[in-house]
Amino acid sequence: MDLRDGQTQQILDPNQPTHVYHLALDIGGSLAKLVYFTKDDNHSVDGEEGISHRKTLQKSNGHKQYPVLNGRLNFKKFETSKINDCLEFIKSMKLHIGGIQPQENPGSQPIAVKATGGGAYKYADLFKERLGIILDKEDEMDCLVAGANFLLEVVHQEAFTYMGDQKQFVQIDKNDLYPYLLVNIGSGVGMIKVEGEGKFERVSGTSIGGGTFWGLGKLLTKCKSFDELLELSYRGNNRAVDMLVGDIYGGMDYSKIGLSSTAIASSFGKAISDNREREDYKPEDIARSLLRMISNNIGQISYLNALRFGLKRIFFGGFFIRKHPFTMDTLSVAVNFWSKGEAKAMFLRHEGFLGAVGSFMSSDKHGLKELLANEVVPRSPSKLSFAVDKILRSLPDGEFNGDESIECSVYAA
């Protein structure tokens, strides 16, 4: 699929009228993620709203499919602790009105919206009370894998490597995508061996993840948010807190086993020997040490599981990463070191939205095609697929802060 960089553009203005055709959510322990599709009204047929027949024929010739809708796939995130902000955004954008209504006795039942994650259960009553919608729950692992597969197969330059301040996009051949290890770093960490569409197994995980970084960071510093803590860590120096190999060996490497003098021997180890209190350490140094400790641990466990199953590619997802250079570099160095360069750590542009995208795609089998069939098309679609045209991003240089639109077309086979 062709993807061309579009001009910088913010996410849709809530004050502007739009046609929302579908909403899906992934409500985790730390963040609530939204994915919603909005129709492009730039095309008309005989003076009426619809899709250009000329464009339809052009697309059909190229894809052997016909477009049902042209529009944007939009992304938005909120802290789960501020779930009311998420509810207000949905209400202000009227996103819930575009949800799928149960097919039995249409008009007599509340609207159902696809959702995954633990929050789909925890906040089900709140969504029904405030917005009058039912959260139609999808399995979390199913959605994570479906979302990752979709993005890797459809979005050009979705995957990239990052090490030594060098970012390099990876061309993914969808015919040679599997198998791979998907490491989703949310509040905790899940590690999934993916062998094909719908064929996967959760093989490991760890409770030391993004929630650990945020929780300990909040206790050890005065940061009020995850992003503030991440920004603080960027200014820190972990060597002021961590005990290095050189601290033990008088500044020398331990070359016999391949450890340089700058390798970390013990995270937070200097706090043991230094005659100082916590207040004597800079908050930014503590944050940096904490980030490196957690990232190194995740990187090592990820590689060991890849080694266990003979997997050469490891894709890291989840909002813990946030495109933070130091986090990505630490994960990459850990995988590279333990694998002796045989395995690669790769990252995803839409890392935090895998579950939400998977939840969105699950509507293909639960009513999205019926909803889209009301458009100007020659016949009712039996299956849907997406073609990505371009990304409309809100930050330069391909960075992604969680608010973005992908311009795309929905096709029926």
Side-chain angles (χ1 to χ4, degrees):
M1 302 295 179
D2 179 45
L3 182 152
R4 301 173 302 278
D5 290 333
Q7 59 184 355
T8 301
Q9 182 169 335
Q10 296 291 339
I11 199 164
L12 298 177
D13 185 347
N15 298 317
Q16 295 296 321
T18 186
H19 292 80
V20 179
Y21 272 76
H22 188 61
L23 164 70
L25 303 99
D26 175 12
I27 310 174
S30 303
L31 293 169
K33 288 81 65 177
L34 282 66
V35 171
Y36 58 98
F37 184 80
T38 50
K39 177 186 170 186
D40 181 1
D41 286 333
N42 292 332
H43 308 293
S44 63
V45 180
D46 298 330
E48 299 178 358
E49 278 191 2
I51 299 173
S52 165
H53 287 301
R54 179 177 299 177
K55 188 166 186 176
T56 296
L57 292 173
Q58 290 174 345
K59 291 286 186 179
S60 297
N61 291 336
H63 294 270
K64 295 182 181 179
Q65 298 173 315
Y66 60 89
V68 179
L69 284 180
N70 295 307
R72 297 176 188 168
L73 204 56
N74 303 278
F75 302 83
K76 187 75 176 176
K77 64 176 172 65
F78 297 88
E79 292 182 15
T80 305
S81 61
K82 300 176 182 177
I83 194 68
N84 286 325
D85 291 347
C86 176
L87 290 165
E88 285 301 316
F89 177 80
I90 293 172
K91 186 176 180 180
S92 67
M93 291 284 288
K94 298 182 173 60
L95 301 182
H96 56 304
I97 298 176
I100 301 169
Q101 195 171 53
Q103 294 302 302
E104 296 181 4
N105 301 319
S108 64
Q109 299 183 38
I111 291 173
V113 169
K114 286 293 176 183
T116 191
Y121 296 88
K122 183 176 181 178
Y123 298 107
D125 291 341
L126 182 63
F127 273 80
K128 186 174 181 180
E129 177 186 339
R130 293 279 300 276
L131 299 176
I133 61 177
I134 294 174
L135 297 184
D136 188 5
K137 304 168 189 67
E138 289 289 325
D139 180 78
E140 187 172 356
M141 291 297 161
D142 287 347
C143 290
L144 278 172
V145 174
N149 289 343
F150 168 77
L151 292 168
L152 287 168
E153 290 180 1
V154 174
V155 181
H156 181 54
Q157 293 189 338
E158 174 65 28
F160 62 93
T161 58
Y162 191 98
M163 193 161 65
D165 294 327
Q166 295 296 317
K167 179 179 180 179
Q168 184 174 354
F169 285 105
V170 179
Q171 183 64 40
I172 300 296
D173 180 359
K174 66 180 182 179
N175 297 316
D176 189 34
L177 173 59
Y178 311 107
Y180 68 84
L181 185 71
L182 175 61
V183 181
N184 189 62
I185 313 174
S187 300
V189 183
M191 300 179 187
I192 308 168
K193 179 181 66 171
V194 183
E195 296 183 291
E197 293 289 344
K199 189 178 180 182
F200 62 89
E201 177 187 3
R202 186 184 189 276
V203 294
S204 188
T206 172
S207 61
I208 302 174
T212 312
F213 175 65
W214 194 348
L216 283 177
K218 187 176 181 181
L219 293 174
L220 295 172
T221 70
K222 295 182 179 180
C223 291
K224 301 298 183 183
S225 71
F226 188 96
D227 288 320
E228 183 183 355
L229 181 62
L230 204 57
E231 177 61 31
L232 181 68
S233 71
Y234 194 76
R235 304 195 301 268
N237 179 8
N238 67 290
R239 297 182 184 187
V241 181
D242 294 338
M243 182 181 294
L244 308 181
V245 169
D247 296 324
I248 301 173
Y249 283 85
M252 299 175 61
D253 299 337
Y254 189 176
S255 55
K256 185 176 181 179
I257 60 174
L259 293 177
S260 69
S261 62
T262 57
I264 298 173
S266 175
S267 295
F268 288 90
K270 282 184 178 174
I272 300 173
S273 55
D274 288 349
N275 188 25
R276 291 191 292 173
E277 300 297 325
R278 179 174 64 84
E279 292 75 16
D280 297 325
Y281 293 95
K282 295 180 181 179
E284 56 266 36
D285 296 339
I286 292 174
R288 183 81 163 215
S289 176
L290 183 60
L291 181 65
R292 179 151 236 186
M293 178 182 72
I294 293 171
S295 299
N296 269 327
N297 184 65
I298 295 171
Q300 182 177 9
I301 295 175
S302 298
Y303 167 66
L304 290 175
N305 277 281
L307 177 65
R308 175 185 170 196
F309 295 103
L311 306 174
K312 299 298 184 183
R313 286 185 292 192
I314 307 172
F315 292 104
F316 289 91
F319 259 120
F320 168 73
I321 302 170
R322 304 285 181 98
K323 301 294 185 295
H324 192 281
F326 185 73
T327 306
M328 293 188 293
D329 189 70
T330 303
L331 288 168
S332 296
V333 168
V335 170
N336 184 71
F337 176 82
W338 292 108
S339 72
K340 294 181 171 58
E342 292 185 6
K344 279 187 177 181
M346 287 183 276
F347 306 94
L348 304 174
R349 289 183 71 171
H350 301 89
E351 56 194 14
F353 287 91
L354 306 185
V357 170
S359 178
F360 181 93
M361 298 306 296
S362 73
S363 296
D364 186 5
K365 59 181 185 288
H366 292 295
L368 181 58
K369 61 176 178 286
E370 284 83 359
L371 182 145
L372 297 177
N374 294 324
E375 291 301 300
V376 182
V377 293
R379 65 183 186 279
S380 177
S382 59
K383 186 178 180 181
L384 299 175
S385 63
F386 280 74
V388 173
D389 298 317
K390 59 184 175 181
I391 284 183
L392 303 174
R393 59 179 183 264
S394 54
L395 289 176
D397 300 326
E399 298 301 322
F400 176 41
N401 69 349
D403 294 352
E404 179 184 86
S405 298
I406 292 182
E407 196 167 280
C408 57
S409 299
V410 184
Y411 288 87

